[in-house]
Amino acid sequence: MDGQHSSRFTVTRSSKTVAANERAALLEDPGFGRLFTDHMVTIRYTEGKGWHSHSVGPREPFQIDPACAVLHYAQEIFEGMKAYRLADGSIAMFRPEENARRFAQSAERLAMPEIPEDLFLEAVAELVKIDADWIPSGEGSLYLRPFLFASEAFLGVRPSKEYIFCVIASPAGAYFKGGKKAVTLWVSEHYTRAARGGTGAAKCGGNYAASLVAQKEATEQGCDQVVFLDAAENKWVEELGGMNVFFVMEDGSIVTPPLTGTILPGITRNSIITLARAKGHDVREEPYSFAQWRADAASGALREAFACGTAAVVTAIGTVRSKDGDFTIGNGDGGLVTESLRGELTGIQRGTVADPAGWVHIV
Ligand SMILES: *Cc1c(COP(=O)(O)O)cnc(C)c1O
């Protein structure tokens, strides 16, 4: 099938695909981010020429020059999204156009060319189709990782004139080891994730590089994840390294930090706000301080807290640890509101719950 044309992509099937029985064995317990499918999509960008060389081909290493700009100045952005196998055998994606839009916004912040949203969506769909056999059934999903990096060999500091856009896919089971149980968070006092005017709202690799030392500290403290406070006052709760946070109060109202440019505008966050409002919860996007969090957990005014993002969907926060000691939220094991929002969201994603907003797209 070499050289076969599917829309504007040249499709080259891998001659070394993993055998069906071996793939089935791997998909029994895929974990997260460690298995990869047989193919990848690449599109090149050259200043003056635009997007070109659209390809679906075997998954293989890049050959890049040691002076490749991304290796020195980290001009790179990415997305994370999932494809699901529905009960009728069809393949669904959840709000993929939102990922396309956010990718363009991240590109703008990193002074990179914006890939047209229809081309982004086409690229993702091409990979899902050619590697459809890698979508785990049941609870699993196929995690898709579109990314864009500066590929020009040049050490001057300015936006690159060449880029590579790529999509790879990784079959996924549960994100946190131990599945659904509540996570323990470490509050970082030394490190912040993003400051006003920085790149906190862009999905760029550099934000993750900056979060790793804090995540390492969290692990050393026996915690699953780190939660960051704001950079200006070291007072307001922002988000985890890769997930947004929500607080469920005793009166049923829900609070989540506002999008002021220092946190990532999560698509799961936006979906949860919509679903919670439809269920009658008063959802407020307003600042919530760490001191208030501790006080509300102690008084019982705070009943539940959870983190959310594409990879882990909705995860209860059980215990919060800082240098001033631990506190537990509710019984430390999640709660009914968290459970019901998770159930509704995953149900919509998997086609078992009505989708009034038209969030699910069949590939
Ligand atoms: C990707 C990401 C999220 C979650 O966004 P979703 O669109 O819900 O997956 C939250 N915070 C950060 C820092 C992220 O990179």
Side-chain angles (χ1 to χ4, degrees):
M1 303 230 306
D2 277 12
Q4 177 194 323
H5 282 270
S6 158
S7 62
R8 46 194 146 170
F9 288 85
T10 302
V11 180
T12 309
R13 258 186 189 282
S14 170
S15 57
K16 297 179 293 197
T17 57
V18 174
N21 58 345
E22 198 183 321
R23 188 176 57 232
L26 291 170
L27 291 181
E28 298 256 311
D29 180 22
F32 182 84
R34 63 182 177 86
L35 294 179
F36 299 98
T37 63
D38 297 310
H39 297 89
M40 63 198 261
V41 168
T42 53
I43 308 174
R44 305 268 168 162
Y45 180 92
T46 306
E47 198 174 283
K49 189 173 172 188
W51 298 98
H52 62 92
S53 310
H54 309 57
S55 148
V56 182
R59 184 177 181 282
E60 64 189 13
F62 291 114
Q63 278 218 334
I64 51 173
D65 192 279
C68 184
V70 69
L71 300 179
H72 303 273
Y73 309 127
Q75 210 189 357
E76 189 266 357
I77 58 169
F78 66 94
E79 270 302 324
M81 52 209 296
K82 283 175 170 175
Y84 305 89
R85 177 76 66 184
L86 304 188
D88 66 0
S90 60
I91 301 166
M93 296 202 63
F94 184 73
R95 308 186 75 181
E97 70 288 349
E98 294 296 322
N99 296 95
R101 205 164 57 151
R102 188 169 65 192
F103 198 68
Q105 287 163 356
S106 297
E108 186 185 18
R109 179 62 184 82
L110 276 282
M112 303 169 90
E114 290 172 30
I115 185 165
E117 291 177 23
D118 62 331
L119 182 54
F120 176 98
L121 294 171
E122 209 178 309
V124 169
E126 287 287 340
L127 187 63
V128 169
K129 279 188 242 168
I130 198 165
D131 283 334
D133 289 342
W134 282 95
I135 306 175
S137 50
E139 289 243 320
S141 58
L142 186 63
Y143 183 81
L144 296 151
R145 170 52 61 86
F147 59 105
L148 176 69
F149 64 92
S151 56
E152 184 184 358
F154 180 65
L155 293 182
V157 180
R158 57 143 170 79
S160 174
K161 296 183 181 198
E162 291 167 20
Y163 297 86
I164 297 175
F165 172 75
C166 179
V167 191
I168 55 174
S170 173
Y175 183 72
F176 290 112
K177 290 183 216 110
K180 279 187 196 169
K181 79 168 197 349
V183 293
T184 300
L185 301 186
W186 170 250
V187 182
S188 178
E189 314 253 350
H190 309 295
Y191 304 111
T192 57
R193 187 186 156 272
R196 199 162 280 250
T199 56
K203 213 167 172 72
C204 61
N207 288 343
Y208 280 70
S211 76
L212 295 178
V213 66
Q215 177 61 41
K216 191 169 147 233
E217 195 179 78
T219 306
E220 282 161 8
Q221 296 291 336
C223 298
D224 300 297
Q225 292 275 310
V226 58
V227 57
F228 290 99
L229 303 180
D230 76 292
E233 297 179 75
N234 212 40
K235 172 177 178 185
W236 307 102
V237 182
E238 294 224 304
E239 63 170 321
L240 275 52
M243 299 176 86
N244 297 115
V245 284
F246 282 81
F247 304 95
V248 183
M249 304 300 164
E250 63 181 336
D251 64 0
S253 67
I254 297 179
V255 173
T256 193
L259 301 179
T260 56
T262 56
I263 67 172
L264 204 284
I267 296 161
T268 317
R269 175 189 180 280
N270 177 274
S271 306
I272 290 285
I273 291 173
T274 304
L275 293 178
R277 284 189 177 144
K279 284 172 176 289
H281 293 278
D282 168 29
V283 183
R284 300 188 301 275
E285 296 178 66
E286 64 184 26
Y288 191 64
S289 71
F290 180 55
Q292 194 68 48
W293 189 1
R294 186 189 289 277
D296 288 347
S299 73
L302 176 71
R303 286 292 163 85
E304 304 175 31
F306 62 86
C308 70
T310 296
V313 194
V314 170
T315 304
I317 299 168
T319 301
V320 182
R321 182 166 294 164
S322 74
K323 68 167 184 0
D324 302 321
D326 289 9
F327 63 87
T328 296
I329 298 144
N331 63 5
D333 203 22
L336 292 177
V337 175
T338 302
E339 197 57 52
S340 116
L341 287 167
R342 178 206 287 129
E344 181 152 358
L345 182 58
T346 55
I348 292 170
Q349 290 169 336
R350 292 176 180 284
T352 59
V353 168
D355 172 28
W359 284 341
V360 173
H361 291 235
I362 301 299
V363 179

